[in-house]
Amino acid sequence: MFRQEPEPREPSAMGESLSTWTPSCNGAVRVELSGQRTTSDSGALLLREALDNSGVIEALEDNLVDLRNPLRIHHSLASQLRTLVLQRAMGWIDLSDTDTLRRDPLWQLACSDARGMTPLAQDRPSQATLSRLLSCLGRNDNIDAVHEGLLRLVVWRLSSLQNGERPKQLTLDIDGLPIEVHGHQGGSAFHGLYGARIYSPLVASLAETGDMVGGLLREGNAGPAENADTWIPHLVRRLNESTGAQVRVRIDAGFTDNATLEALEDRGIEYLGRLRSHTGLQKLAAPHLKRPPGRPPEQPREWSHDLEYQAGSWSAPRRVVLVVQERPDDLLLHAFFLVTNLGKFDWPPEKVLALYRKRGSAEAHMGEVKSALDVHLSSTDRGASTVQDVMARNEVSLLLSLYAYQVLHGLRCLLERQTRQGWSLSRMREQVLKVAATLRLHARRITVHLGAAADKWWPTLLKGLPKLTALS
């Protein structure tokens, strides 16, 4: 509880009278709304440093088509992009949040193109300005550059944060990331499984590193594998060109349709996926669902069998690995199938199963995108906007959330290497980035005085923050 003291009343920087408050728990404490240059988001400067080192904003500015009249531009595309990416990384998700932060001096510094004292005198972009930015980025002549920017962030992180040693092999995990929407946004649809109106985007991540490589927004009623046969091979090709690594693909049962598997095979891409159980597979498994003679051991056992199978929709037989498992207190054996084109000599059944089980780490990374970034899509049908326009704006919004994840993930991995302990994005944001600071202006110099919470982790991060390395 707080109680208000009627006196004294002090003027703020806006000329308004602000009350002084004293908490009832301690009468010696005075709480004043003094209007000083303070912030709780000093970590935005660290994120700006990482974003600058990646070079992604400059690359986007060079490749984006800006149809605005140069004489009427108040906010560059670069400053607006920084605003959206950094605010999302710090937990300010809505476009309207930029109005909430419009007088925060550190946000003026973190997002501006200008140097010196100039950023403190500049207005921040409004909600309407940022909304127009999403429309600009979603145009056909810009959307490819936004996709490429995400890949550039991945390559920067793999190069800069691992001393330039890029991995020789990468596993690309593909999964759906259903996102609930509110209202009748163009392209969304009610989905009975989730009991809500959703979009059904695809998200691609790297299993070994946790990086988010790509996102593709699809309508809410899209089938699990819709567009996967063209999108996945394109991502694999760009990853191979950018990193030089051999890329294999790991998918769940929704993507093991004939079109997707054929598209991967035609391009010589290795894949591994799970098959949905059905009558044909159950008949194939039946001869192997027998326990060996003797008393079962205390620990449940597991067997793997190499088989060949041709589904009705497949044009040819494919290698299938049957996994048979004992379960505690269950008389019946459990079985599931994996389909793969990995070579039998280098990849025996047990090794194939071990590779598939690592998919859990990718699902954890995708869950972190939803939880830490609070991904939601809110572009609505504005008058003459078509469904395609709404979908394009929302795809850009999804990609910018993945940008924010990548910048956070880069700092997180650096912090883990320096401190030798694990960090979640939420924990890093709350303990490392959400640090209070006061700004002092003197002799055309801005001094940021950080709160004591920064003492523990900031020196570690500043010491290890990488510089941009050459990108292929």
Side-chain angles (χ1 to χ4, degrees):
M1 294 290 294
F2 289 84
R3 67 172 183 268
Q4 182 179 5
E5 292 186 354
E7 295 293 341
R9 299 174 67 86
E10 300 178 355
S12 71
M14 296 291 293
E16 301 172 349
S17 295
L18 300 177
S19 301
T20 299
W21 299 75
T22 298
S24 58
C25 64
N26 191 338
V29 177
R30 288 177 45 154
V31 179
E32 298 180 354
L33 304 178
S34 61
Q36 294 183 358
R37 294 182 180 273
T38 59
T39 181
S40 62
D41 286 342
S42 55
L45 285 178
L46 275 179
L47 294 174
R48 166 69 186 269
E49 187 74 7
L51 196 60
D52 285 351
N53 286 344
S54 74
V56 67
I57 299 298
E58 290 75 9
L60 283 171
E61 197 170 33
D62 290 342
N63 289 281
L64 293 174
V65 177
D66 189 355
L67 300 180
R68 295 178 298 172
N69 184 343
L71 299 179
R72 302 182 64 181
I73 292 178
H74 295 289
H75 302 286
S76 68
L77 291 182
S79 66
Q80 294 179 61
L81 283 164
R82 287 191 206 99
T83 297
L84 282 180
V85 174
L86 296 183
Q87 284 186 184
R88 292 184 184 203
M90 291 295 293
W92 300 92
I93 305 300
D94 294 328
L95 294 184
S96 60
D97 288 337
T98 190
D99 294 330
T100 304
L101 302 171
R102 67 187 183 277
R103 298 192 180 281
D104 190 308
L106 192 132
W107 279 107
Q108 292 173 301
L109 296 174
C111 299
S112 175
D113 297 327
R115 295 178 177 271
M117 312 289 282
T118 305
L120 298 179
Q122 292 178 329
D123 291 330
R124 302 198 67 222
S126 66
Q127 178 179 358
T129 299
L130 296 179
S131 180
R132 288 191 291 270
L133 171 68
L134 295 182
S135 297
C136 170
L137 298 179
R139 293 200 314 263
N140 290 335
D141 51 0
N142 283 332
I143 189 66
D144 287 344
V146 182
H147 281 280
E148 286 295 310
L150 180 59
L151 184 61
R152 183 183 180 95
L153 278 171
V154 173
V155 177
W156 160 73
R157 211 199 66 74
L158 293 179
S159 301
S160 300
L161 298 184
Q162 297 189 26
N163 301 317
E165 297 180 6
R166 301 182 188 179
K168 294 181 174 58
Q169 289 191 330
L170 292 171
T171 303
L172 186 67
D173 279 296
I174 308 295
D175 209 345
L177 190 72
I179 297 176
E180 183 178 356
V181 301
H182 301 282
H184 293 271
Q185 298 184 43
S188 66
F190 182 83
H191 198 292
L193 179 63
Y194 303 103
R197 291 187 68 87
I198 66 165
Y199 283 120
S200 183
L202 294 179
V203 175
S205 64
L206 295 181
E208 294 84 358
T209 64
D211 293 279
M212 293 293 151
V213 178
L216 178 69
L217 189 66
R218 305 180 304 168
E219 295 186 358
N221 57 4
E226 189 170 319
N227 303 125
D229 58 335
T230 55
W231 186 64
I232 297 175
H234 170 74
L235 277 181
V236 172
R237 178 179 61 82
R238 289 295 296 121
L239 266 176
N240 183 265
E241 293 172 350
S242 301
T243 66
Q246 179 185 2
V247 183
R248 69 174 63 96
V249 175
R250 189 164 51 195
I251 50 182
D252 70 8
F255 301 94
T256 51
D257 63 305
N258 188 64
T260 302
L261 299 184
E262 275 193 349
L264 298 175
E265 291 164 349
D266 290 345
R267 294 162 178 80
I269 300 171
E270 294 180 336
Y271 64 81
L272 167 63
R274 185 162 178 165
L275 292 174
R276 287 195 178 100
S277 180
H278 55 77
T279 304
L281 288 175
Q282 291 169 3
K283 289 181 179 179
L284 186 65
H288 304 279
L289 299 182
K290 298 177 181 178
R291 289 183 174 87
R295 186 182 183 88
E298 292 184 3
Q299 295 297 323
R301 294 170 291 184
E302 183 176 78
W303 303 271
S304 299
H305 304 277
D306 233 329
L307 306 173
E308 193 174 77
Y309 177 72
Q310 182 174 356
S313 61
W314 293 357
S315 57
R318 291 186 168 98
R319 181 190 179 190
V320 167
V321 173
L322 166 65
V323 181
V324 182
Q325 298 172 321
E326 288 181 328
R327 290 182 170 179
D329 303 322
D330 195 342
L331 295 177
L332 300 178
L333 294 173
H334 173 69
F336 65 91
F337 287 86
L338 304 174
V339 60
T340 183
N341 63 349
L342 294 169
K344 294 183 180 180
F345 181 77
D346 294 323
W347 291 91
E350 295 77 16
K351 192 175 178 182
V352 170
L353 176 60
L355 177 62
Y356 183 78
R357 281 186 167 146
K358 292 180 181 178
R359 180 174 166 79
S361 60
E363 293 173 348
H365 293 140
M366 292 183 188
E368 198 171 33
V369 170
K370 291 195 72 171
S371 62
L373 275 301
D374 189 22
V375 179
H376 65 275
L377 306 175
S378 59
S379 180
T380 55
D381 187 352
R382 296 176 175 84
S385 295
T386 64
V387 171
Q388 290 74 24
D389 292 335
V390 174
M391 291 281 290
R393 283 195 294 264
N394 275 325
E395 180 162 286
V396 168
S397 186
L398 171 65
L399 290 170
L400 292 180
S401 292
L402 297 182
Y403 277 43
Y405 171 92
Q406 276 301 115
V407 179
L408 285 170
H409 184 57
L411 286 183
R412 184 249 301 273
C413 291
L414 176 62
L415 194 61
E416 286 179 339
R417 192 167 70 243
Q418 298 287 92
T419 62
R420 299 177 183 270
Q421 60 178 277
W423 287 82
S424 69
L425 295 188
S426 298
R427 179 183 173 222
M428 185 183 71
R429 180 193 288 157
E430 296 302 320
Q431 294 193 16
V432 180
L433 301 179
K434 288 286 187 179
V435 174
T438 301
L439 278 69
R440 305 287 186 189
L441 311 182
H442 180 68
R444 298 194 59 78
R445 181 173 295 277
I446 304 170
T447 303
V448 180
H449 297 276
L450 296 176
D455 294 347
K456 189 173 184 180
W457 307 119
W458 276 56
T460 298
L461 277 175
L462 291 173
K463 183 178 179 181
L465 199 63
K467 297 298 180 184
L468 178 64
T469 59
L471 299 179
S472 58

